Amino acid sequence: MKTALVGDIGGTNARFALWRDQRVEQVRVLPTADYACPELAIRAYLAAVGQPLETLEAVCLACAGPVGGDVFRFTNNHWQLSRAAFCADLGLAQLLLINDFTAMALGMTRLHEGERITVCPGEPEPGRPRLVIGPGTGLGVATLLPLQGGGWRALPGEGGHICLPVGSEREAAIWAHLHRQLGHVNAEAVLSGPGLLALYRASCGLDGRAVTVDSPAAVTAAALAGEPYAVEVLQQFCRWLGRVAGDNVLTLGARGGVYIVGGVVPRFAEFFLASDFQQSLRDKGRMSGYFDQLPVWLVTAPYPGLEGAGVALQPLLEGA
């Protein structure tokens, strides 16, 4: 049985697992801040699970950011990687680097019962793309495309860096406040963990309120405890996620459905289900009917990025 290593590396955490017999095993989560480079993190992971380095057939790393060329610089952490130096250091013959949301999209093909919650009921339109979007340390966006004859292809992109859409006077005022601070205001500036805190601070600045919380988790906790101002901020987060998801559905023709993924939204799943997300998703004027019967799911699977990295790596292992 061939053994490979798969990794899903974000801005805050690196998730590693062994890939054997088309399954992930021995999952560990390591903070990226604790290691100077991915090679050291991988060596620490292998030592922790008792897997000798020389037994690995291949490695697939799903990385936040556009992948290409020999040197890869991670978007949201201090790591960088040279393919040639990485393979030489670890004694590897095969390294596959893919975008983290390529892996996330492929992970949607391996969801099990109970690993997604229906947000909007509907039926996937056969043969149409599916949108995968998720706030985490950043905002990831990818497309899952069904192939003739079966199977799927994941199309990576950098949709988190599109311009933040404005759909109301309040949103225009928040956007202007952020623009004075940031210049270009992309969707990720609001729709991410750090973005939630930025949204709270911008709202306080507009309304002349004192900032009383200092982390995204604290904003969420206050909202879930019923604090009215935090509730409205989190509601606005959900509205903006609906607007951005809806824009992507129209652009891609993603009538196959929408997967909401990432580490942020599942933390307030019940709030999200009752929020203005659905209304904002379809708030597209004369194109609102385009969203009739569009299914939307909130994904609660623990490690879909690792599963997707394994899916991406499997053809390489079978051809080796």
Side-chain angles (χ1 to χ4, degrees):
M1 184 185 301
K2 295 181 178 180
T3 299
L5 182 142
V6 291
D8 178 16
I9 302 173
T12 305
N13 293 311
R15 301 162 185 84
F16 295 112
L18 301 178
W19 179 256
R20 289 196 188 104
D21 195 25
Q22 301 193 43
R23 292 180 300 187
V24 293
E25 302 176 359
Q26 301 274 29
V27 176
R28 299 287 190 278
V29 181
L30 305 182
T32 57
D34 289 355
Y35 302 91
C37 61
E39 292 92 329
L40 291 177
I42 287 172
R43 289 181 181 277
Y45 165 77
L46 291 172
V49 300
Q51 182 73 29
L53 176 60
E54 58 271 15
T55 63
L56 293 184
E57 297 278 348
V59 170
C60 177
L61 299 180
C63 309
V67 177
D70 177 65
V71 176
F72 177 83
R73 292 177 175 83
F74 291 78
T75 301
N76 292 320
N77 67 45
H78 64 286
W79 285 359
Q80 71 175 37
L81 179 153
S82 160
R83 296 174 193 255
F86 181 93
C87 290
D89 182 38
L90 298 181
L92 289 173
Q94 298 184 105
L95 167 66
L96 178 62
L97 291 184
I98 61 175
N99 176 267
D100 61 334
F101 258 68
T102 296
M104 186 66 77
L106 291 173
M108 301 302 97
T109 69
R110 291 178 55 94
L111 292 178
H112 302 293
E113 188 70 27
E115 291 186 336
R116 67 182 188 184
I117 300 169
T118 297
V119 179
C120 302
E123 290 296 327
E125 190 171 314
R128 299 300 292 271
R130 300 187 180 191
L131 172 68
V132 183
I133 182 169
T137 303
L139 176 64
V141 182
T143 307
L144 194 59
L145 190 66
L147 301 176
Q148 288 187 348
W152 299 86
R153 180 181 179 186
L155 304 179
E158 292 299 325
H161 297 276
I162 64 171
C163 296
L164 182 68
V166 171
S168 69
E169 291 185 5
R170 175 67 175 178
E171 290 175 3
I174 296 172
W175 181 94
H177 187 91
L178 292 169
H179 185 264
R180 286 192 290 271
Q181 295 177 329
L182 305 173
H184 175 66
V185 183
N186 61 20
E188 185 175 272
V190 165
L191 295 175
S192 59
L196 176 58
L197 183 59
L199 174 60
Y200 168 79
R201 287 174 171 167
S203 300
C204 288
L206 280 175
D207 298 332
R209 294 177 60 98
V211 173
T212 59
V213 298
D214 60 0
S215 71
V219 176
T220 301
L224 296 183
E227 196 284 306
Y229 199 75
V231 167
E232 176 52 32
V233 169
L234 195 58
Q235 182 72 269
Q236 182 58 60
F237 181 96
C238 296
R239 291 187 197 107
W240 249 320
L241 182 55
R243 295 200 195 287
V244 172
D247 285 353
N248 276 277
V249 168
L250 290 176
T251 300
L252 299 169
R255 295 288 294 276
V258 177
Y259 297 96
I260 307 295
V261 299
V264 172
V265 179
R267 296 173 184 171
F268 52 88
E270 290 188 14
F271 183 102
F272 180 71
L273 293 174
S275 75
D276 291 343
F277 168 85
Q278 296 184 46
Q279 178 182 341
S280 295
L281 175 76
R282 58 180 295 127
D283 184 17
K284 303 300 180 188
R286 64 179 181 176
M287 290 302 295
S288 295
Y290 193 82
F291 296 84
D292 293 345
Q293 297 303 311
L294 176 75
V296 179
W297 305 284
L298 174 60
V299 176
T300 59
Y303 302 111
L306 290 175
E307 295 275 2
V311 171
L313 184 60
Q314 190 60 34
L316 189 64
L317 293 174
E318 293 173 353

